[in-house]
């Protein structure tokens, strides 16, 4: 099962990704998490990506595509995986299509099953951000640099400009499943399950 989780920052992708991982037993591949780990370890990719990430901009398509290509070749992804935060541009979506097609030619059956779009009201996202930052501080942890309110608003704009075009792209492929992301966590999970159960293998 190969699934993409799409939605603006703060839509609840991380929370729902955890649910999908548990329920369907596929690994989560979050390019944001992988990049943050690279920044923390100061790898060459991390050093390149840090400034761009702090500003709320997108890391180059080639860098993230290389990360994903390497990761999906790992053994634990053989039975499928969940992409969280990738693709984020049309170019990345096309690169993913090519990667899966290449795998198909090598006789590995790899089809993108569904793209779950978590649809949320933009006004609610700022509220959710404030709650997330407060909870992080309450746990004694440092909030993400890109969760600063101005940067967050900029990330929303980047989503609208660069990532939202993926919605019609996947709609045309017949892969798009829209889920109302405004409800309680369990209600959103239940709606995701209703859309994904047909792909269970
Ligand atoms: P996220 O945790 O998914 O919100 O990602 C945090 C940051 O990592 C983003 O604001 C981007 O700077 C970078 N990033 C994560 N995934 C991608 C991607 N697919 N393409 C470009 N940049 C990305």
């Amino acid at each position: 099962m190969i699934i993409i989780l799409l939605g603006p920052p703060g839509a609840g992708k991380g929370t729902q990704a955890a649910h999908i991982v548990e329920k369907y037993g596929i690994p989560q591949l979050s390019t944001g998490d992988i990049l943050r780990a690279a920044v923390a370890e100061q790898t060459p990719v991390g050093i390149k990506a840090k400034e761009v990430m702090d500003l709320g901009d997108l890391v180059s398509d080639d860098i993230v595509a290389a990360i994903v290509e390497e990761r999906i070749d790992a053994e634990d992804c053989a039975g499928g995986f969940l992409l969280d935060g990738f693709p984020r541009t049309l170019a990345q979506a096309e690169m993913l299509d090519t990667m899966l097609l290449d795998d198909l030619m090598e006789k590995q059956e790899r089809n993108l099953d569904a793209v779950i779009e978590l649809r949320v009201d933009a006004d609610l996202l700022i509220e959710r951000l404030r709650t997330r930052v407060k909870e992080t501080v309450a746990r004694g942890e440092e909030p993400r640099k890109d969760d600063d309110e101005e940067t967050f608003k900029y990330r929303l704009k980047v989503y609208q400009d660069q990532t939202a075009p993926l919605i019609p792209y996947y709609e045309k492929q017949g892969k798009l499943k829209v889920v109302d992301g405004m409800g309680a966590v369990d209600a959103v999970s239940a709606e995701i399950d209703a859309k994904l159960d047909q792909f269970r293998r």
Side-chain angles (χ1 to χ4, degrees):
M1 189 158 152
I2 300 180
I3 307 292
I4 292 174
L5 201 50
L6 199 64
K13 291 195 298 294
T15 306
Q16 295 304 333
H19 164 77
I20 294 170
V21 166
E22 208 205 341
K23 172 131 188 167
Y24 300 94
I26 48 173
Q28 172 193 7
L29 233 139
S30 156
T31 42
D33 284 351
I34 296 171
L35 286 167
R36 276 185 290 278
V39 170
E41 286 164 27
Q42 299 193 323
T43 66
V45 164
I47 291 164
K48 243 194 209 163
K50 185 182 184 317
E51 198 178 330
V52 176
M53 290 173 74
D54 284 349
L55 291 171
D57 263 318
L58 294 184
V59 174
S60 84
D61 292 332
D62 289 340
I63 289 183
V64 282
I67 288 174
V68 169
E69 190 159 24
E70 193 191 327
R71 183 65 187 84
I72 64 177
D73 276 344
E75 211 172 306
D76 66 330
C77 289
F81 46 87
L82 168 69
L83 290 166
D84 160 16
F86 179 92
R88 254 183 163 93
T89 63
L90 279 175
Q92 290 178 18
E94 284 162 3
M95 285 166 160
L96 176 65
D97 284 346
T98 307
M99 282 178 222
L100 297 177
L101 205 62
D102 287 350
D103 285 346
L104 200 62
M105 307 236 258
E106 287 168 18
K107 303 271 182 290
Q108 253 188 306
E109 201 205 321
R110 291 209 137 170
N111 285 318
L112 173 63
D113 291 297
V115 177
I116 299 279
E117 184 209 343
L118 289 180
R119 202 163 274 186
V120 283
D121 178 344
D123 295 336
L124 179 98
L125 294 175
I126 296 289
E127 280 313 310
R128 281 196 182 171
L129 166 80
R130 290 183 184 138
T131 309
R132 179 160 92 186
V133 169
K134 263 191 217 144
E135 285 171 355
T136 307
V137 173
R139 284 197 303 271
E141 294 166 18
E142 179 107 353
R144 278 168 55 168
K145 240 197 186 131
D146 60 356
D147 269 351
D148 143 87
E149 215 163 297
E150 282 316 302
T151 312
F152 185 83
K153 283 184 187 152
Y154 181 67
R155 285 163 60 207
L156 285 178
K157 184 181 159 3
V158 170
Y159 178 83
Q160 277 316 322
D161 293 348
Q162 302 202 53
T163 310
L166 297 183
I167 296 167
Y169 179 84
Y170 286 120
E171 198 165 25
K172 261 186 226 131
Q173 289 191 5
K175 302 273 164 77
L176 188 74
K177 314 274 170 208
V178 181
V179 166
D180 175 8
M182 302 284 289
V185 171
D186 288 350
V188 178
S189 300
E191 210 187 314
I192 291 177
D193 291 347
K195 302 248 150 96
L196 288 188
D197 268 351
Q198 58 174 308
F199 302 109
R200 243 171 156 168
R201 288 196 272 266

